Amino acid sequence: MNMAAKFSQHSATFTFGDTKRFEHVLCIVPSSDTALNDKSIPGLATLNTILKRRGNKPADLQTTPIFGEIGNDACAAWVAIDQSKTVFEQQSSIRKSLALLLHENLERIAISVHGPAAFRHNAAQLALYATLINGAVLPVRKKEDKRKALSDIGLFGTTLAGSGKREQAIASGNTLTRALTMLPPNELPPAQYRKRIRALAKEHGWAHDVYDMKKLRKLGAGAFVAVAQGSAEDDAAIVHLRYRAKGAKKTIALVGKGICFDTGGHNLKPAKYMYGMHEDMNGSAVALGALLAASTLKMRVNIDCWLAIAQNHIGPKAYKQNDIVTALNGTTIEIVHTDAEGRMVLADTLTLASRSKPDLIIDYATLTGSMHVALGSRRSGIFANRPEWQTCAIGAGERSGERVTAFPLDADYDVALDSKIADIKQCSDDGNADHILAARFLSKFLDDTPWIHMDLSASSHSGGLGAVVSDVTGFGVAWTIELLEDAAK
């Protein structure tokens, strides 16, 4: 899953003659009417001819990029971006233009940026990130697969500090997240997932501990065990990874829901909603991708990564409605619906994460359908138990292009979780405001640690989202790096 492309940059102004080895060119210009006065723009005559024929202005390239042949067996996609617009809007324009080139199964690409120096620098950062993400070959299992990974990127018109290492690290984290999420469930049951994680830990020097089912039963992690016990294989576990940075003053815990397949349990999902449930481990993949990006960048923040890896199956040992289970922190839980398994495995995992008193816990989960109803798949929802972290989370979303919306965490919602026979209900029986109730439920297992919960409604979006062309978006990795940079300060 190491999809990193070779990257080179050139400070000289781009001209076609400088890039004979590149047959595909992504050209980015400002959205102003004078943008096309720059004679160094590759294929300028072709671009002007197409714009004139269509009756378009240069600014129209923001929403409708143009593809065309520019001679010498080469082609280009031209796009305009307006840097007064949001990062997400700029990323979306670049994604659309890249898609015009990617269908040619290219291995090499030139990124050519034009306009004022500050514009060229910012455009190059956005374009490099999008190109690295979308140049990766993600898992498919076709008999014939002729796809090629992007292996060579040339940057013309500017240079990037650190040779684009930040963009490359975040893109690698995002690619890891998407590649894991897209693996079919027979290739990524808990045992195989744990094996992959162990290999990643060895490769990147992360400390690695495993709380397997035997250990979790002994500890009394009844919420996690209740979900995992329905599987024929006793291979579920909570995996703990540690990254330590020299001079770091803050420790952040990343917690990910890793349900490798979710049948819904005894409250079985209908076929329409069970299809795609191999992606229910996306939260754990986001946590892993963020850990990879942060450790690659050698960020000055300590990270504990906790991954709740299990499956939610139906069977004679599976947990059921009306069961009462005791969580790791001693809280008794009345089971209302077996398809609310994510909050169960996260409850005990959050308890473990909070015991080491981190400065902040961030958890990621494809947790509730009601969040998808509330937001669709263009944004993800967040909850925070500290107003300052809610502000940071929203700001990180704007800067990264991975937009989030904050939801209330008011205590009066708890009345819907009152149980007559246990400390708390797992969920309500009517499903109303379930995304809020799930967050309220999880908050009971934190020991008042500062916390952000991300409900990943944007983990998959048809046609891609922001900078990402694939339906599986890897949403959350870039957002986390922005947030970790805040925390490190």
Side-chain angles (χ1 to χ4, degrees):
M1 285 177 285
N2 184 5
M3 309 292 186
K6 178 178 149 187
F7 168 58
S8 60
Q9 58 183 344
H10 304 266
S11 58
T13 300
F14 175 92
T15 63
F16 182 68
D18 291 335
T19 57
K20 292 179 181 178
R21 65 193 177 94
F22 292 106
E23 297 176 342
H24 299 86
V25 183
L26 173 63
C27 179
I28 304 174
V29 300
S31 60
S32 65
D33 289 337
T34 60
L36 302 189
N37 291 342
D38 184 348
K39 303 301 181 184
S40 69
I41 294 173
L44 181 59
T46 299
L47 175 59
N48 279 322
T49 297
I50 297 172
L51 286 171
K52 183 177 180 180
R53 185 174 68 239
R54 296 181 178 180
N56 289 346
K57 296 180 179 180
D60 295 327
L61 291 170
Q62 291 181 77
T63 54
T64 312
I66 288 176
F67 174 86
E69 304 292 333
I70 57 176
N72 297 328
D73 296 322
C75 59
W78 299 274
V79 63
I81 59 175
D82 181 349
Q83 292 182 342
S84 69
K85 293 193 172 182
T86 66
V87 171
F88 173 81
E89 289 172 306
Q90 294 176 59
Q91 287 177 340
S92 298
S93 295
I94 291 173
R95 181 192 82 238
K96 292 175 183 177
S97 61
L98 268 173
L100 299 175
L101 295 168
L102 291 172
H103 77 279
E104 297 215 345
N105 198 24
L106 63 162
E107 294 182 84
R108 298 177 298 277
I109 190 171
I111 300 171
S112 170
V113 291
H114 300 265
F119 174 91
R120 296 197 308 271
H121 181 267
N122 293 334
Q125 288 179 313
L126 291 171
L128 177 60
Y129 175 61
T131 303
L132 287 164
I133 283 180
N134 296 308
V137 174
L138 297 169
V140 298
R141 297 295 180 262
K142 291 181 176 289
K143 185 177 181 180
E144 292 187 12
D145 185 6
K146 297 181 179 180
R147 298 173 304 156
K148 300 172 183 175
L150 192 63
S151 59
D152 195 355
I153 302 171
L155 175 60
F156 297 85
T158 191
T159 58
L160 292 179
S163 299
K165 289 181 180 178
R166 185 178 188 275
E167 290 75 21
Q168 293 184 73
I170 299 174
S172 293
N174 177 285
T175 299
L176 173 65
T177 297
R178 288 181 298 145
L180 288 169
T181 303
M182 293 172 70
L183 286 172
N186 57 322
E187 292 186 24
L188 200 73
Q192 290 301 313
Y193 196 4
R194 288 167 54 187
K195 184 177 179 180
R196 287 174 181 268
I197 293 167
R198 186 165 58 250
L200 284 167
K202 184 177 180 180
E203 179 182 356
H204 298 286
W206 307 327
H208 174 259
D209 293 313
V210 176
Y211 294 75
D212 61 16
M213 287 289 282
K214 182 179 179 180
K215 188 172 184 178
L216 290 170
R217 289 187 179 102
K218 186 175 181 179
L219 288 173
F224 184 98
V225 170
V227 174
Q229 69 191 23
S231 298
E233 299 82 9
D234 213 26
D235 57 355
I238 297 174
V239 178
H240 180 202
L241 304 170
R242 293 189 303 280
Y243 160 75
R244 293 295 180 262
K246 186 177 180 180
K249 297 180 179 180
K250 297 288 180 66
T251 299
I252 310 298
L254 309 180
V255 176
K257 172 188 172 184
I259 299 295
C260 296
F261 195 81
D262 181 16
T263 67
H266 279 280
N267 298 121
L268 196 65
K269 293 177 183 287
K272 177 181 178 181
Y273 296 106
M274 199 187 302
Y275 185 80
M277 280 298 104
H278 63 296
E279 296 181 7
D280 207 23
M281 41 63 66
N282 177 257
S284 63
V286 173
L288 267 175
L291 175 61
L292 173 61
S295 60
T296 300
L297 290 170
K298 295 181 171 58
M299 296 186 72
R300 293 186 65 181
V301 59
N302 296 325
I303 299 174
D304 285 298
C305 184
W306 298 86
L307 309 174
I309 300 171
Q311 298 190 82
N312 187 23
H313 278 309
I314 189 168
K317 294 183 179 180
Y319 81 136
K320 53 194 177 295
Q321 291 175 290
N322 300 118
D323 280 357
I324 306 290
V325 301
T326 303
L328 181 58
N329 72 348
T331 299
T332 57
I333 304 168
E334 178 186 356
I335 305 305
V336 175
H337 200 295
T338 62
D339 198 20
E341 86 298 331
R343 67 201 73 184
M344 298 291 287
V345 298
L346 286 175
D348 287 340
T349 311
L350 287 169
T351 295
L352 285 173
S354 65
R355 284 180 173 177
S356 59
K357 306 296 183 183
D359 295 285
L360 174 69
I361 295 175
I362 309 170
D363 82 71
Y364 314 84
T366 48
L367 200 63
T368 66
S370 62
M371 184 62 81
H372 199 277
V373 171
L375 288 179
S377 56
R378 297 179 180 275
R379 286 175 173 257
S380 287
I382 60 107
F383 298 81
N385 64 358
R386 301 288 193 278
E388 62 271 23
W389 282 117
Q390 178 173 300
T391 300
C392 285
I394 293 170
E398 294 302 313
R399 295 192 304 274
S400 65
E402 294 182 344
R403 304 169 298 174
V404 299
T405 297
F407 283 81
L409 198 61
D410 302 312
D412 58 309
Y413 280 92
D414 285 353
V415 66
L417 299 177
D418 286 344
S419 171
K420 294 180 180 179
I421 55 175
D423 293 323
I424 192 172
K425 284 182 180 179
Q426 169 204 36
C427 58
S428 70
D429 57 4
D430 58 20
N432 291 336
D434 187 51
H435 52 309
I436 300 173
L437 297 185
R440 287 300 307 172
F441 177 88
L442 293 177
S443 71
K444 309 301 181 184
F445 303 91
L446 292 163
D447 196 25
D448 199 39
T449 305
W451 168 64
I452 299 171
H453 162 56
M454 176 176 277
D455 196 333
L456 285 159
S457 47
S459 65
S460 181
H461 182 77
S462 180
L465 187 67
V468 182
V469 170
S470 62
D471 290 354
V472 175
T473 63
F475 188 106
V477 174
W479 174 86
T480 301
I481 296 304
E482 291 285 350
L483 201 66
L484 291 177
E485 288 174 343
D486 284 345
K489 295 174 186 176

